[in-house]
């Protein structure tokens, strides 16, 4: 049975840097509060109308394909994870396909928010193991900035989120350097604890009559999300380790979805991991949802923090609630 490996990585973030200090000019917040509660110092917010979620994903994908040494025509399936698609429909996968000029391969959109990249990676892994495809492009891309409530009313949500895109080429391999396992979960009873409710088929746009209607901005029950996140991250990391009979000491690098530095630090402490076993970059980019893991993985890889044979654990938790992990032997 073929196995799958990450053959190429790339990421793209918009040029426009928004510091915590910049946010103090538009809402009642402070650099100290944001740094202390989330670890974030700055994030990227798109300020170019031409930049879309699919276009940012395309830029990241081009870099990942180039890094893999393959040609775009070698890609035989596209998986695009996002909660901020260009259009209500069609999905962003086909738009990326158009941008890249890839002919008639399947394109699938994944709607699993912060866990979207792990879900996409898991789908790619299974398709490759089944022999159906050989080289799958997995993309996570988000533009949050346009949909945030940037007034003081929305400050507990809007300071956290950033824009960006990351991509991986997942390819068939015979080598032992491969994705060892993936683990996916969700708990729909908490679907509304972190959500954008409108517009939707239950609330079509024409029913949104009042400008002060908060329900078309992201809602997040922050404390509740935090408490669930720390439990689920730990569970799903151990699920992955146990599957391969590995221990926390065997982890060379843990990359969690960059939700909040305090969440990552809490997990690091619980798992008794050293600083060199954990990679974080939320300080620079904020929470980029489906893009956060591929951006962090690419940065870690480009900084030579991952070498052949390393055990790399990826773990995500987010809206849905959904969560998942992937264990990779590099
Ligand atoms: N600037 C200044 N003050 C703010 C603020 C901001 N941006 N946002 C909220 N506050 C205030 C609140 O109004 C509250 O004031 P009060 O005590 O006078 O009522 C106070 O800060 C504490 O708010 P609270 O929401 O309890 O803070 P917290 O420590 O829970 O931190 C989050 C808030 C959102 C940072 C935290 O809950 C969190 O990170 N949760 C997880 C979010 C997450 O990971 N989401 C993505 C999942 S993938």
């Amino acid at each position: 049975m073929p196995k799958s490996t990450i053959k190429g990585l790339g990421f793209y973030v918009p040029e426009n840097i928004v510091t915590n200090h910049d946010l103090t000019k538009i809402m009642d917040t402070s650099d100290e509060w944001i740094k202390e509660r989330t670890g974030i110092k700055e994030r990227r917010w798109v300020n170019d109308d031409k930049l879309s979620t699919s276009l940012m994903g395309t830029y990241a994908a081009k870099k990942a394909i180039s890094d893999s040494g393959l040609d775009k025509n070698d890609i035989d399936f596209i998986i695009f994870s996002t909660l901020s698609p260009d259009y209500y429909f069609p999905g962003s996968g086909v738009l990326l396909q158009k941008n890249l000029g890839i002919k008639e391969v399947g394109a699938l959109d994944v709607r699993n928010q912060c866990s979207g990249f792990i879900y996409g990676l898991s789908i790619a892994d299974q398709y490759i193991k089944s022999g159906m495809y050989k080289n799958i492009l997995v993309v996570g891309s988000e533009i949050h900035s346009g949909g945030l409530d940037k007034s003081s009313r929305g400050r507990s949500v809007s300071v956290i989120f950033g824009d960006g895109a990351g991509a991986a080429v997942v390819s068939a391999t015979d080598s032992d350097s491969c994705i060892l396992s993936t683990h996916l979960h969700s708990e729909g009873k908490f679907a509304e604890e972190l959500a954008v409710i409108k517009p939707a088929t239950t609330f079509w746009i024409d029913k949104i009559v009042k400008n002060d209607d908060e329900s078309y901005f992201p809602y997040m029950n922050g404390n509740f999300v935090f408490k669930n996140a720390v439990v689920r991250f730990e569970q799903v990391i151990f699920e992955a380790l146990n599957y391969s009979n590995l221990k926390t000491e065997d982890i060379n690098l843990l990359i969690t979805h960059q939700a909040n530095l305090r969440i990552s630090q809490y997990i690091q402490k619980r798992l008794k991991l050293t600083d060199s076993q954990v990679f974080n970059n939320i300080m620079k980019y904020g929470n980029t949802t489906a893009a956060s893991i591929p951006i962090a993985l690419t940065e870690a890889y480009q900084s030579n923090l991952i070498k052949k044979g390393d055990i790399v654990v990826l773990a995500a938790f987010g809206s849905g609630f959904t969560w998942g992990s992937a264990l990779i032997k590099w």
Side-chain angles (χ1 to χ4, degrees), residues 192-222:
E192 282 83 17
E193 299 294 342
L194 174 47
V196 178
I197 302 296
K198 300 176 188 175
T201 49
T202 44
F203 299 97
W204 280 115
I205 221 85
D206 62 354
K207 293 195 183 141
I208 301 171
V209 284
K210 291 194 296 186
N211 278 338
D212 61 354
D213 186 345
E214 289 180 53
S215 53
Y216 56 94
F217 290 122
Y219 166 77
M220 179 171 73
N221 185 348

Side-chain angles (χ1 to χ4, degrees), residues 166-284:
V169 175
V170 184
S171 296
T173 182
D174 296 328
S175 155
D176 285 342
S177 290
C178 62
I179 295 176
L180 296 177
S181 68
T182 59
H183 309 268
L184 307 178
H185 298 277
S186 57
E187 196 170 24
K189 70 179 177 188
F190 296 134
E192 282 83 17
E193 299 294 342
L194 174 47
V196 178
I197 302 296
K198 300 176 188 175
T201 49
T202 44
F203 299 97
W204 280 115
I205 221 85
D206 62 354
K207 293 195 183 141
I208 301 171
V209 284
K210 291 194 296 186
N211 278 338
D212 61 354
D213 186 345
E214 289 180 53
S215 53
Y216 56 94
F217 290 122
Y219 166 77
M220 179 171 73
N221 185 348
N223 279 302
F224 189 72
V225 172
F226 195 106
K227 284 179 192 150
N228 277 269
V230 290
V231 172
R232 297 310 192 182
F233 268 121
E234 188 176 335
Q235 282 175 353
V236 83
I237 292 167
F238 275 114
E239 186 178 356
L241 289 172
N242 293 341
Y243 185 85
S244 291
N245 289 320
L246 295 174
K247 297 195 164 30
T248 51
E249 304 89 276
D250 298 315
I251 298 176
N252 295 100
L253 202 64
L254 169 67
I255 298 178
T256 59
H257 160 55
Q258 301 290 288
N260 180 326
L261 190 61
R262 282 196 301 153
I263 294 178
S264 302
Q265 288 169 339
Y266 182 88
I267 296 158
Q268 178 178 348
K269 209 168 145 195
R270 289 278 303 174
L271 271 56
K272 299 191 176 60
L273 300 177
T274 62
D275 287 349
S276 64
Q277 285 177 286
V278 180
F279 183 78
N280 290 304
N281 64 0
I282 190 170
M283 304 71 92
K284 293 189 290 181

Side-chain angles (χ1 to χ4, degrees), residues 28-30 33-34 37-38 114 155-156 159-161 194 220 222-223 225-226 257 259-260 262-263 287 317-318:
D28 179 18
T29 190
S30 67
W33 192 96
I34 301 171
R37 306 285 177 129
T38 71
C114 304
R155 65 183 180 171
S156 63
V159 301
I160 294 177
F161 291 98
L194 174 47
M220 179 171 73
N223 279 302
V225 172
F226 195 106
H257 160 55
N260 180 326
R262 282 196 301 153
I263 294 178
N287 178 342
F317 174 89

Side-chain angles (χ1 to χ4, degrees), residues 49-71:
D49 286 346
K50 291 191 196 76
L51 214 46
S52 63
T53 297
S54 68
L55 193 55
M56 294 205 314
T58 304
Y59 294 155
K62 279 185 178 168
K63 291 182 189 179
I65 294 169
S66 160
D67 184 51
S68 72
L70 297 174
D71 181 81

